[in-house]
Amino acid sequence: MIQCTNCGAQMEESANFCPKCGASSNVNSAEFSSTSELGLIRKRALEGDSEAQLELGLRFVNGEGVAQDFSEAFSWYIKSAELGNSMAMNYVGDMYCNALGEKQDFTEAKKWYRKAADLGNSEAMCSLGAMHYQGLGVKDYNEALLWFKKASELGNAMAMCFIGEMYLNASGVEQNYDEALSWFKKSAEHGNAMAMYYLGNMLYEGTGVVQDYNQAAEWFKKSAEADNAFAKAMLGDMYYEGKGVHQDYDKALSFYKKAAEQEIGPACNTIGYMYENGIGVQQDYAEALKWFRKGAEFGDSYAKYNLGEMYCYGMGVPQNQIEADKWFKESGNLEAAQKSYDTEKKAGNRLRTLFFLEVICFVAGLITFLITISVDGEIGLYVGWGLMCLGAWNFIFRKKTLDETISDAASDAVHPEYSLGNWFLRILFTILLAPIVSLVNLIKDMIAVIKTNKKLAPFKNRIAIIRATLEENKA
């Protein structure tokens, strides 16, 4: 047992407020001194002022001047609601609906919303409509539309937005884009950020209106300024793709990060993709992994899949097939992941085969070249030279180690330059190049011989004659 600091009554240690005077047991005395703002609000609340009780509940919900405490907030909302405050009743409904300070109970939530709605509270009407619309307790589109319209008649912008959404998605009503557009505009005029987002999205997609990226961007900007996370993510997409705005990866990344701060999973996934592929930023697998993980934590299936790929191929993290399979499974796309893995594994095997072919070509060419020099055989000289070039060319062409090349082939699917077809094209080009070089050298030799008035010797003896001619010229 502890003693109430306000009236001295005994109370349980776990009690949130004194059963005798209602004073909080979980507040700092300095914060609630008789001269502080909170102290004055508390004094009025203890005296039975429902507005003060409501204000105190809000302070505890938002952590304004006190530590956030939903249980404490609930206790003050209940006191205010029992004195007939409709907004407090609405907030009690919110706390039951969202399991804040109390166990989730849709029946209790609906009861308190209904009490507030009967007193003309438009927010409670909208909340009742939302419960029926989303199936929290019971799904009933007709009942939802009824409450949304009642709330909208009282100027509730969120209710107007919900009506627009119902017409947009044909939820309980016949699909009607004109009606949806009309309700979204009404809601947006009342400052509703979600309605602004919907207007932008309809213009972006060309849903019921002529597609207009410029106007879409304007609505998304208005919505983002009103702190709508989805609008921030869409602005990121528009700057990323250069639709309706000048392409700007820096701005895209900025908006994606703002959306990510509000737990928008797709925004996290796109940030990860940018870091993985070095788009607008320096390529950084570790940073990509971090953002894919965040997106996965926020429930984005693409982020989960990409996180699985990072583990599968050891990009920014030690390779771990068990962890990869876990994320592939959570992404809901395990079959596609397995198919992708099998394809990319084949790509890696093919690259290793090409690597050994290159080594064989180079070594065989070198041996042929050295043997040819010792016996003065011209055809072998060019064959050896060609094979050496072919082997070296492939190394230079990739400009990467074998492991890096395989990693690229795994992460970006199969690049055309790594295909067997391209490899054989380079062989053909090298084979054709050797006779061309031979012809050029033959012409040079002929000129040298003509200048020295020597007759052309049989082809097999030409190298020896040319060498003798050059020695004479030096002498």
Side-chain angles (χ1 to χ4, degrees):
M1 299 291 285
I2 59 173
Q3 190 176 47
C4 174
T5 57
N6 183 58
C7 68
Q10 294 294 308
M11 53 191 288
E12 296 289 337
E13 289 186 19
S14 59
N16 291 313
F17 54 89
C18 177
K20 182 177 179 181
C21 70
S24 173
S25 62
N26 190 31
V27 297
N28 185 295
S29 58
E31 293 169 340
F32 283 83
S33 67
S34 59
T35 57
S36 69
E37 182 187 9
L38 278 174
L40 294 173
I41 294 172
R42 174 173 170 271
K43 184 176 182 297
R44 285 168 42 218
L46 292 173
E47 290 171 352
D49 185 328
S50 68
E51 288 297 326
Q53 292 166 346
L54 176 64
E55 175 64 21
L56 209 51
L58 284 168
R59 295 291 183 103
F60 277 108
V61 164
N62 299 318
E64 294 180 16
V66 291
Q68 190 177 56
D69 189 330
F70 292 123
S71 295
E72 189 73 17
F74 182 82
S75 69
W76 287 110
Y77 283 155
I78 281 287
K79 285 179 179 293
S80 181
E82 288 173 347
L83 292 174
N85 189 303
S86 65
M87 187 54 74
M89 296 174 188
N90 176 62
Y91 288 147
V92 170
D94 283 346
M95 300 196 84
Y96 274 119
C97 188
N98 299 301
L100 300 174
E102 288 294 317
K103 185 179 178 181
Q104 192 170 56
D105 189 330
F106 293 135
T107 302
E108 278 295 306
K110 186 177 178 182
K111 180 186 82 174
W112 284 102
Y113 283 144
R114 186 58 189 261
K115 283 184 177 183
D118 289 343
L119 292 174
N121 186 287
S122 69
E123 287 194 27
M125 295 175 189
C126 184
S127 295
L128 272 174
M131 288 191 73
H132 288 292
Y133 178 62
Q134 296 167 358
L136 303 179
V138 61
K139 200 176 190 78
D140 188 333
Y141 287 133
N142 292 329
E143 192 73 9
L145 187 61
L146 174 69
W147 284 111
F148 287 147
K149 285 188 172 179
K150 284 184 177 182
S152 65
E153 288 169 3
L154 295 174
N156 188 287
M158 192 67 237
M160 297 174 193
C161 184
F162 271 123
I163 295 173
E165 192 176 314
M166 292 183 78
Y167 279 110
L168 177 67
N169 300 319
S171 302
V173 293
E174 187 176 344
Q175 192 171 56
N176 189 323
Y177 294 136
D178 290 337
E179 277 292 310
L181 199 66
S182 174
W183 282 104
F184 287 143
K185 283 182 177 178
K186 287 179 184 178
S187 181
E189 287 168 3
H190 283 75
N192 186 273
M194 196 66 194
M196 296 174 193
Y197 164 77
Y198 274 123
L199 284 171
N201 207 49
M202 290 183 77
L203 288 161
Y204 182 85
E205 299 287 348
T207 306
V209 293
V210 177
Q211 191 175 54
D212 189 328
Y213 291 135
N214 293 327
Q215 285 192 46
E218 290 305 312
W219 279 113
F220 286 141
K221 284 177 182 178
K222 288 180 180 180
S223 182
E225 286 168 3
D227 206 32
N228 184 277
F230 299 108
K232 293 173 187 177
M234 281 304 300
L235 277 173
D237 287 346
M238 297 190 82
Y239 277 109
Y240 182 90
E241 297 168 2
K243 291 182 177 179
V245 293
H246 291 296
Q247 190 176 51
D248 189 326
Y249 290 132
D250 288 337
K251 286 187 177 179
L253 189 64
S254 174
F255 276 110
Y256 284 139
K257 285 186 175 180
K258 287 176 182 178
E261 288 172 2
Q262 293 175 265
E263 301 186 1
I264 302 300
C268 298
N269 178 63
T270 309
I271 295 171
Y273 182 81
M274 291 177 77
Y275 277 108
E276 180 190 5
N277 296 283
I279 300 173
V281 293
Q282 178 133 11
Q283 190 177 53
D284 188 332
Y285 288 147
E287 193 70 11
L289 183 80
K290 181 185 83 173
W291 285 103
F292 285 144
R293 192 181 299 282
K294 279 189 179 182
E297 288 170 359
F298 296 149
D300 185 73
S301 60
Y302 292 104
K304 292 176 182 178
Y305 181 89
N306 288 329
L307 186 58
E309 283 206 325
M310 300 291 278
Y311 276 105
C312 185
Y313 304 112
M315 300 161 68
V317 68
Q319 194 172 38
N320 187 328
Q321 193 59 44
I322 294 174
E323 192 72 10
D325 289 344
K326 182 190 88 171
W327 287 111
F328 284 146
K329 186 175 181 180
E330 286 198 24
S331 76
N333 203 7
L334 184 60
E335 184 178 347
Q338 187 60 48
K339 184 178 179 181
S340 174
Y341 174 71
D342 290 342
T343 301
E344 291 156 358
K345 186 177 180 181
K346 288 177 183 176
N349 290 336
R350 183 174 65 236
L351 288 169
R352 289 187 179 90
T353 302
L354 293 180
F355 170 74
F356 289 116
L357 281 173
E358 291 161 5
V359 172
I360 290 168
C361 278
F362 187 81
V363 172
L366 181 61
I367 293 171
T368 305
F369 187 82
L370 293 173
I371 293 173
T372 301
I373 289 175
S374 66
V375 297
D376 289 337
E378 184 164 347
I379 296 298
L381 184 72
Y382 291 125
V383 170
W385 174 83
L387 289 171
M388 286 174 66
C389 286
L390 178 63
W393 190 359
N394 282 278
F395 280 118
I396 296 167
F397 184 81
R398 283 202 311 263
K399 297 180 182 177
K400 293 185 177 182
T401 66
L402 177 66
D403 288 340
E404 286 173 333
T405 305
I406 292 172
S407 176
D408 284 351
S411 61
D412 299 328
V414 183
H415 293 293
E417 61 263 31
Y418 303 138
S419 67
L420 283 169
N422 271 284
W423 199 83
F424 285 121
L425 280 175
R426 292 199 288 281
I427 291 177
L428 179 62
F429 185 78
T430 305
I431 292 170
L432 291 174
L433 188 62
I436 291 170
V437 174
S438 239
L439 181 60
V440 171
N441 284 335
L442 178 61
I443 293 169
K444 287 169 64 181
D445 294 345
M446 288 173 66
I447 293 169
V449 171
I450 290 168
K451 282 181 178 180
T452 55
N453 295 316
K454 297 283 187 180
K455 292 183 179 180
L456 290 175
F459 182 80
K460 63 180 181 179
N461 297 323
R462 187 159 52 82
I463 293 176
I465 292 171
I466 292 168
R467 283 176 179 166
T469 303
L470 291 175
E471 287 174 5
E472 287 178 14
N473 288 339
K474 285 180 183 179

